[in-house]
Amino acid sequence: MNIRQAVKMAWKSIWGKKGRAVLTMLGIIIGIASVMTIVSAITGYASKMMEQFEAMGANRIQVSVRNYAWTSDENGNMVALGADYFPQVYDYCNGMKDFVTGVTPEAYVNVNMVYGTKSSNSMSYEVDENGRLTSAPPNFYLGSDQYSACSNLTIAKGRDLALLDIQNYNQVVVLGAQAAQIFFGSADPVGKTVQLNNLRFEVIGVYASRLDPESNSNSTLDNFVLIPYTANRVLGTGNIEEFIVVAKNAEEIPEIVTRLDGFLKGLLNRATNDYSIYPQNDTDYFAESMNLIGGVLAGVAAISLMVGGIGIMNIMLVTVTERTREIGIRRAIGAQKSSIVTQFLIEAAMLCGIGGIIGILIGTLGCVILGNILFQMTIYPSGMVTAGAFGLSVLLGIIFGIYPAVKAANLQPVEALRAE
């Protein structure tokens, strides 16, 4: 028997018992659809998160300087003794331009921003019918003139913070794209004056959005206000203890950490201060987490495929029993064992292959629906995932069809012919 005849016979057998075949393929269909949906969902989520990491800047090193000596101010509030060490860290990192992209404080301040009738303290989180953010109180950051280089930001209007703004204690701010939209709408904010804790600050620029303009994102990534870190003197926010140093590439991080460690040991009085340096390799950590989650979910989907494969084996054993007499006749007229094995393996592979195709179609639909619901983006399975899913389904048919095929081939012709 040639392959073409075997395929025809397998198709005839499957088509003759369509209901049973569909129920048999159900496990494969569910398993393949699950695997494709899971893989595509993880891919979509990873893509979104990588965009966020890239938008915030990669290869970051967090430096923290802690003050252990405290005193009371005139209002009775506890404040840390000691100087702001960021200027020294700033100068030192600028001496490592071959390794460092930029350095900036990582300081969040709690202030009230007022423009016209809008006040950040009275704002609530709101989105429009398309899921776009329309109102939310912004985050207020203290930063250096290198903040945009550290955070992957570019200026859309006006200008960025300059070193002179820092040195001259200028009361200026740069707005994130969403903060500008929320406070000023379609008007140009550059040159306008806002109040921070009743102090007048001039808007000198607006950063371009780091979000995909095609997506209906409700992320607050661009809803921020950048203030020169020297403004903490007039805003009364205290000493800056957290800094971010950004390496030019991941390979430079160990060298930067070693140099910073030696510099801070010599700079600080260890009796009243301590420090820590944490490389933040977010992308590697996230990739490892996604691989772990993907492995667990894939394991769950694999169980479904295993159950489906066992169902294929079971139905093929039933088929062998039903066709025992036919097998006996073929063996009696000279059919080789290999022909019998080939016929049943092709039938099992076709059964799983058809189930795989149906599972791929359902999985693709699931990917599109899930992507639009969860990530506001259309996700299609890659060609590699689709081909892999189909190949896996056929392979399962072959693996779980081997035992029934061998059992059929080992039937004795005389005993098979006596079967009813």
Side-chain angles (χ1 to χ4, degrees), residues 250-295:
E251 289 74 21
E252 308 292 356
I253 290 178
E255 177 68 21
I256 296 171
V257 170
T258 300
R259 293 192 182 196
L260 279 172
D261 183 63
F263 173 73
L264 290 173
K265 280 181 180 176
L267 176 67
L268 301 177
N269 179 354
R270 300 302 293 278
T272 57
N273 300 95
D274 198 4
Y275 69 92
S276 58
I277 304 173
Y278 297 108
Q280 297 179 309
N281 203 343
D282 294 330
T283 54
D284 288 348
Y285 175 77
F286 178 73
E288 291 175 5
S289 301
M290 285 295 96
N291 288 337
L292 179 61
I293 295 172

Side-chain angles (χ1 to χ4, degrees), residues 113-115 118-120 123 133-141 153 157 173-190 194 196 203 205-211 219-226:
M113 176 168 157
V114 176
Y115 178 76
K118 296 182 178 180
S119 170
S120 60
M123 284 184 175
L133 186 68
T134 57
S135 176
N139 297 311
F140 296 91
Y141 302 142
L153 288 162
K157 297 178 181 178
V173 295
V174 184
L175 305 180
Q178 286 175 319
Q181 175 65 33
I182 290 171
F183 275 90
F184 293 91
S186 59
D188 186 357
V190 177
V194 297
L196 301 181
V203 179
V206 178
Y207 288 119
S209 176
R210 292 173 290 185
L211 298 171
S219 169
T220 59
L221 182 64
D222 290 323
N223 189 26
F224 68 93
V225 178
L226 178 64

Side-chain angles (χ1 to χ4, degrees), residues 329-352:
I329 293 173
R330 292 186 58 197
R331 293 283 285 121
I333 61 177
Q336 300 294 318
K337 286 186 177 182
S338 59
S339 297
I340 304 297
V341 170
T342 300
Q343 178 187 344
F344 280 90
L345 283 182
I346 288 176
E347 186 169 333
M350 283 186 64
L351 202 57
C352 282

Side-chain angles (χ1 to χ4, degrees), residues 153-169:
L153 288 162
T154 57
I155 284 290
K157 297 178 181 178
R159 66 173 179 87
D160 205 348
L161 282 186
L163 183 58
L164 286 176
D165 293 320
I166 307 297
Q167 294 174 338
N168 296 337
Y169 304 94

